[in-house]
Amino acid sequence: MHVTKSKGFSAHTLDANALKSFAHPLRLRIYELLDERGPATATGLAVLLGENTGATSYHLRELARHGMIEVAAGMGRGKEKYWRVVPGGFSYGDPPPDAEAASALEVLLDDLVRQRGAELARWRQGASRAPAEWVEASGFGRRSLRLTVEETAELRDQVLEVLERYRTVSDGRQAEPAEGREPPAGHVVIHFDVLPLGAVPEDDPA
């Protein structure tokens, strides 16, 4: 997933209707599970979520209708469908003028903050049980800089260019069977934020 206004990246930008459709707790969770665990069926997702298959099937179709997920080719038997996240991720784009869509965007951004907090906490709690080579490859980073608007945008775009390069590598592996990969690939999450907090007016003292 990408949340940026920068240009030149392959992420699919959600329109107002897609934003309103996506801002649903179960759809958010289904997308999160597909992104984290890989292709799954409506039945498998129903078990994980404690829902019935009819509900997960409906929400999967809604996500697919807006181009966020797709049927994973070559998987499943008969009418069984495995769904996967569409390669390239998506972008929320510019704030929409539609008030309902703008409200949906706020829900989605709040959920993104929640997801990031949960992922950071999960790694902090579980890193001691992870293989040493993965711990050594991981990292936390924070910098507080003094930059102009132009420098800030340039930094953002340069980092996103690097992420885009590795996203292309990752997307190429979606069609490969996990067994027999050398070296083996794991699910890696990268958090990247550019927050010009100095541009936010401070609250007046009480």
Side-chain angles (χ1 to χ4, degrees):
M1 168 192 321
H2 302 284
V3 182
T4 174
K5 298 178 185 178
S6 57
K7 309 300 181 183
F9 299 99
S10 61
H12 168 60
T13 301
L14 303 185
D15 62 20
N17 288 330
L19 286 172
K20 288 183 276 190
S21 177
F22 193 31
H24 184 287
L26 192 53
R27 286 173 206 163
L28 286 167
R29 185 63 181 136
I30 287 172
Y31 189 92
E32 186 177 342
L33 285 172
L34 291 176
D35 187 44
E36 179 180 336
R37 296 174 178 241
T41 65
T43 301
L45 289 166
V47 172
L48 290 171
L49 295 166
E51 297 285 340
N52 63 69
T53 304
T56 53
S57 294
Y58 169 73
H59 292 300
L60 285 164
R61 290 194 301 272
E62 281 296 299
L63 289 169
R65 187 165 69 89
H66 293 290
M68 303 183 67
I69 66 171
E70 63 186 8
V71 174
M75 299 184 69
R77 297 179 179 178
K79 295 183 178 180
E80 182 182 51
K81 291 181 181 178
Y82 275 80
W83 297 89
R84 71 169 189 169
V85 168
V86 169
F90 65 88
S91 169
Y92 294 142
D94 296 319
D98 178 350
E100 187 179 351
S103 178
L105 177 58
E106 293 298 317
V107 171
L108 295 172
L109 292 175
D110 287 343
D111 187 74
L112 181 62
V113 172
R114 174 207 62 78
Q115 184 180 1
R116 289 184 177 183
E119 288 167 345
L120 286 167
R122 177 180 167 189
W123 177 247
R124 285 287 297 130
Q125 293 166 7
S128 62
R129 304 191 303 275
E133 62 269 24
W134 282 107
V135 175
E136 291 173 4
S138 71
F140 290 97
R142 181 186 182 279
R143 298 292 185 273
S144 180
L145 308 176
R146 297 291 185 271
L147 302 174
T148 65
V149 171
E150 291 76 15
E151 290 166 342
T152 300
E154 182 181 15
L155 180 151
R156 177 203 63 197
D157 289 346
Q158 287 180 359
V159 173
L160 287 174
E161 285 174 7
V162 174
L163 292 176
E164 183 75 357
R165 187 166 75 244
Y166 282 95
R167 181 207 58 75
T168 301
V169 172
S170 174
D171 287 348
R173 291 196 172 107
Q174 284 198 36
E176 299 175 3
E179 299 79 6
R181 285 180 185 163
E182 289 295 339
H187 178 230
V188 177
V189 173
I190 297 93
H191 293 157
F192 171 64
D193 304 289
V194 179
L195 309 175
L197 294 179
V200 179
E202 295 185 8
D203 294 335
D204 293 332

